[in-house]
Structures are given as C-alpha cells and as structure tokens.
Amino acid sequence: MKHFLKETDLQSHQVAEVFALARDFKAKGGRHTPPVLANQTWALLFFKSSTRTRVSFEVGIHELGGNPLFLNRNDIQLGRGESIEDTAKVLSRFVHGLIVRTYDHSDVERLAAAGSIPVINALTGFLHPCQIYTDAFTMAERWAPKGGDLLGSLKGRKIAFLGDTACNMANSWVLGAGLFGMHVALAGPAGFEPMAEFLALAQKEGFGDAYSFTTDPMEAVKDADVVYTDVWVSMGMEDDAKERLVQMAPYQVTEELLGAAKPDALFMHCLPAHAGKEVTQGVLDDPRCIIFDQAENRLHTQKAIMAVLAQQARA
Ligand code: CP
Ligand code: NVA
C-alpha cells in the first residue's frame, strides 16, 4: 500500500505524474477530470482546524467522482480513547482512502501501518507535504514556459524561508528543496534551527545540503527566487505565542526584505496570513505576492496526488 506521509514517499515517475496531472486538471476545470474515485468514499480525519486543506480535499474528491466524509476526531470514538490502530482497521472496512491532519506525526504513520487503505498527510506538527507539492507546482507554473518542463524549471532555485524555522513548513521545505533540486535558506531566531529529529530524516534522505540556517534575514533573501513565510504561532504552539511574537519580529517579511531578493522574486505564504505580524500588508498587496494561486492549486495538486495513489492501490 502506498501512502503520502512525507515529500519523499512518491517515486520520481509519480512526482512527474502529479505535476503533469495537476496541470491537466487545472487546464480542464473541475467537472472535466476523469472520475478516478468513482464509487469510492475518502475520509478526512482532522484533529486541527483547516480552511484550505479541508475544502480543497472535499471538493477534489467530489470532482474526481468520489464521496468525501469529514470526521472531526472529537466526534468519533477516537476522541474517547479508541486506539489509532482500531480506528484505522475499522475505517479501512468502509472507506477507500484516509486524509489526516493531526499533531503527532506518529499518528499518520500508525494509521498507515494498521490500516489497508492509502493515507495522506494533510499536515502534522512535523511536515505538510501537500502544501510543498502545491507550492512547487505554483512556482513551476510561473517559471516553466507554456507546456514546458515544470520540474526542470525548479532546479537551482533559491527559497528564503523567514520566521519560524523550526515549524512543519520549514521542515517540509528542506525535504521539498532536496526533492526538487532547490536550496532553502532558513532565517529565524537562534534556537529555531531545525530540530535534531528532523535533521536525522533530512540526512537519511541525502538532503543535508539542501538547506542553510542563518539568524540574518538579509543574508537569506540575497539572490532568492522566492521569499516565503508562515505563521509565527503554529497550531499547538499557542502557549508560547507572546514570546514568539517578540522573538520573530525581526523576520517579518517587509517591502525592504522582498526588495533585497531577486528583482522578479515571488512572495509566498501557505496561509492563513496575519498582516502586521509575519508579513506586512504592503507585501500582501504587492503584485509579486501569489498566495491565492497557491491556495487554488491545493485543489489541483491534491487531486493529482489522490489519482496517483488510487491508481497504485488498484494495481
Ligand atoms: N495552508 C493550509 O494548510 O491551510 P489550512 O490550515 O486552512 O488548511
Ligand atoms: N505552521 C502552520 C501551518 C498552517 C497551514 C501550522 O501548523 O499551524
């Protein structure tokens, strides 16, 4: 059984297929995509809030001919102590795929190990791979000539990731940079270097050189093709909010910082954004800001990921 729990879980031909399908799905529009999930139900099991991920998966499953089933952890017996393993085994008897948003990354690994259906990581405290594939696709749309080589257009590009450099998005960007032949320059406060547990994974994947860390935001944005940020207080980090807002203030993406990147650099953010905190309103209003293309592309990219996993599950 094939799962998508981290960026490197797909083989290289499947990565290429995801990008090609996403471009095709986007060009054709929702109602014209092949019904690869016909007569299937895919469940979304969420332990955390979501706007983009929940809506794009629900709409995407519908557009692929399937039926989405949203399950809030607290509404099912999992919230009252039923085990992850029994939940996976029971859901596997009813549904054809499982999309999970949770705190502990081990939850998605345990669901995948115990069940018999594909599991997709829709964000853990450790990684957010659906977002990275979408973001890379969104960049490639800008950089590849029409009908040209999407993945090839990413090679050698530099992303500056500013702010909470120890969060799931920063981790995922290190894996994404390694996978797509890019470099991510992380700039955040001392003490927010990628955690040892994550570095062990990055090194195991051979991506130890795909990132650098600095406390100087100007150094990170120099020659960057993309300036990227995320919230300073991720879900689950609310107790540290006050301290984080002070520690991360020097890493706010301002017009000055964006202006110090390449002249045609893009600004990206996985969203939700907080104007006046991790980014200024001026940057959000700048034509180089492509955050809503990113949000839309969640739909097309995740449909492509589901189509590839469903095809493999059938094989
Ligand atoms: N970027 C992202 O995953 O957004 P949501 O939390 O709204 O799903
Ligand atoms: N780092 C953020 C991403 C939200 C999409 C969080 O985990 O809350």
Side-chain angles (χ1 to χ4, degrees):
M1 181 54 55
K2 190 76 192 174
H3 307 286
F4 185 64
L5 307 186
K6 59 183 187 301
E7 285 71 5
T8 47
D9 280 352
L10 298 183
Q11 294 172 316
S12 54
H13 74 273
Q14 293 177 312
V15 177
E17 201 179 343
V18 166
F19 275 62
L21 278 175
R23 174 149 69 184
D24 199 41
F25 289 164
K26 185 168 185 175
K28 286 185 176 140
R31 278 164 293 169
H32 304 289
T33 53
V36 294
L37 302 186
N39 301 317
Q40 295 197 6
T41 296
W42 281 52
L44 285 84
L45 174 58
F46 277 42
F47 295 47
K48 289 177 168 176
S49 306
S50 171
T51 300
R52 282 143 288 271
T53 310
R54 177 180 174 176
V55 176
S56 56
F57 267 112
E58 290 206 37
V59 171
I61 293 164
H62 174 74
E63 288 182 358
L64 290 173
N67 176 49
L69 174 68
F70 185 78
L71 301 171
N72 184 311
R73 172 197 185 265
N74 294 325
D75 294 339
I76 62 173
Q77 296 288 7
L78 187 63
R80 300 183 65 251
E82 188 168 16
S83 74
I84 291 255
E85 283 72 20
D86 284 1
T87 303
K89 287 175 189 160
V90 170
L91 290 176
S92 294
R93 301 293 177 109
F94 294 131
V95 304
H96 300 83
L98 191 55
I99 293 146
V100 186
R101 169 167 285 202
T102 183
Y103 291 89
D104 292 335
H105 191 73
S106 62
D107 290 349
V108 291
E109 294 175 334
R110 288 168 62 195
L111 285 160
S116 54
I117 52 175
V119 175
I120 295 179
N121 175 359
L123 181 148
T124 65
F126 193 56
L127 295 174
H128 194 6
C130 292
Q131 184 74 52
I132 295 305
Y133 272 54
T134 299
D135 293 344
F137 175 76
T138 308
M139 294 170 195
E141 266 188 328
R142 296 267 165 167
W143 295 333
K146 206 168 157 38
D149 179 7
L150 291 170
L151 286 166
S153 76
L154 300 173
K155 302 236 179 296
R157 301 279 185 166
K158 178 181 176 184
I159 303 164
F161 185 102
L162 271 53
D164 182 0
T165 41
C167 78
N168 45 9
M169 280 303 304
N171 288 347
S172 265
W173 258 119
V174 174
L175 294 187
L179 181 68
F180 298 120
M182 307 169 87
H183 182 84
V184 62
L186 305 171
F192 284 81
E193 295 88 350
M195 283 176 286
E197 181 197 1
F198 171 71
L199 288 182
L201 170 65
Q203 259 137 30
K204 189 168 147 238
E205 298 287 356
F207 297 160
D209 293 338
Y211 84 98
S212 51
F213 176 83
T214 174
T215 53
D216 178 359
M218 272 295 175
E219 183 189 321
V221 298
K222 188 172 180 295
D223 296 324
D225 296 285
V226 174
V227 178
Y228 200 109
T229 192
D230 183 12
V231 294
W232 288 344
V233 184
S234 284
M235 292 179 277
M237 297 294 172
E238 291 77 7
D239 287 351
D240 301 336
K242 228 172 139 185
E243 203 183 338
R244 282 171 164 256
L245 298 191
V246 175
Q247 288 170 304
M248 292 180 195
Y251 301 93
Q252 181 186 62
V253 180
T254 58
E255 291 85 330
E256 188 196 354
L257 272 176
L258 184 59
K262 280 189 179 162
D264 56 353
L266 302 168
F267 171 72
M268 299 178 75
H269 189 315
C270 56
L271 301 181
H274 300 86
K277 293 201 169 73
E278 71 270 11
V279 57
T280 62
Q281 189 61 52
V283 169
L284 291 170
D285 293 337
D286 191 287
R288 290 170 291 176
C289 167
I290 58 167
I291 54 177
F292 298 113
D293 289 342
Q294 272 179 273
E296 177 192 333
N297 286 338
R298 297 293 300 279
L299 173 66
H300 310 300
T301 312
Q302 290 162 187
K303 280 170 70 178
I305 292 167
M306 287 188 285
V308 166
L309 292 186
Q311 187 184 33
Q312 174 139 350
R314 268 196 296 270

